[in-house]
Amino acid sequence: MQHTDLRNSSLFRQAGWRIIPLLIVCYMFSYLDRINISFARLQMETDLGFSDATFGLGAGLFFVGYIVFQVPASIVLKRLGARRTIAGIMIAWGVISFMFAFVNRAGVFCALRVLLGIAEAGFSLPFFFIWASGFHSGCWGG
C-alpha cells in the first residue's frame, strides 16, 4: 500500500468514527418518531377526543407520504449531496415535530403526519448512501 492510501484510509476511519455514530443515533430517533404515535395515543384520546380511526388514519398517512416521496428525495439527494440533504431533513423534521404540540383537530394531526412522512422519506436513502459509499467496505480496515 502506498503512503497516500494509508492516509486516505486513516482519514476515512477517523471520519467514520465521527459520522456513523451520529447517523445511527439519528436513525434511531427516526424509528422512535415513526412509532411514537402509539405512546401519544392515550393522552390524545382523552385530551383531544381522537378515535381509533383517527390514529389509524394518521399512522397510514405517514407511510403514504414516506413511500410517495422516496423518489423525489433521491433526486434531491443527487442534486444537493448527502450533507445538505440530511441537514434539511433534520431541520424540517424538528419543525414538524414541534408543530405536533399545537395539534387541536384530527385534520391538523393527519396533515402533520403526512408532512412528517415526507420529511423522513429522504433520511433513509442518504443514511444508507453514506454507509455504502465508502464507510462500509475498505475504509474500516477490513
Side-chain angles (χ1 to χ4, degrees):
M1 226 183 218
Q2 294 178 356
H3 181 67
T4 57
D5 292 337
L6 290 173
R7 187 181 313 164
N8 289 341
S9 178
S10 175
L11 178 68
F12 275 111
R13 197 173 302 120
Q14 288 176 352
W17 283 113
R18 292 181 183 187
I19 293 170
I20 297 301
L22 176 66
L23 288 176
I24 289 172
V25 168
C26 289
Y27 196 76
M28 287 173 27
F29 279 119
S30 172
Y31 176 73
L32 288 174
D33 200 33
R34 286 182 216 150
I35 64 168
N36 74 349
I37 191 165
S38 62
F39 299 120
R41 178 178 172 210
L42 295 174
Q43 191 69 29
M44 292 179 92
E45 276 181 348
T46 57
D47 291 349
L48 301 174
F50 287 178
S51 66
D52 290 339
T54 302
F55 284 100
L57 181 64
L61 288 175
F62 171 86
F63 287 105
V64 167
Y66 189 83
I67 291 169
V68 168
F69 279 86
Q70 283 285 322
V71 172
S74 298
I75 294 169
V76 170
L77 172 64
K78 177 95 167 131
R79 289 195 180 165
L80 297 180
R83 183 173 40 171
R84 289 183 182 158
T85 303
I86 291 174
I89 288 168
M90 292 295 129
I91 291 169
W93 185 12
V95 168
I96 294 167
S97 295
F98 175 73
M99 290 170 58
F100 272 98
F102 304 107
V103 169
N104 57 3
R105 294 187 322 263
V108 174
F109 172 73
C110 290
L112 286 176
R113 288 295 292 178
V114 170
L115 290 175
L116 190 63
I118 292 169
E120 284 192 33
F123 181 70
S124 296
L125 290 175
F127 172 79
F128 290 115
F129 175 75
I130 289 173
W131 181 262
S133 67
F135 293 114
H136 181 269
S137 61
C139 295
W140 288 88

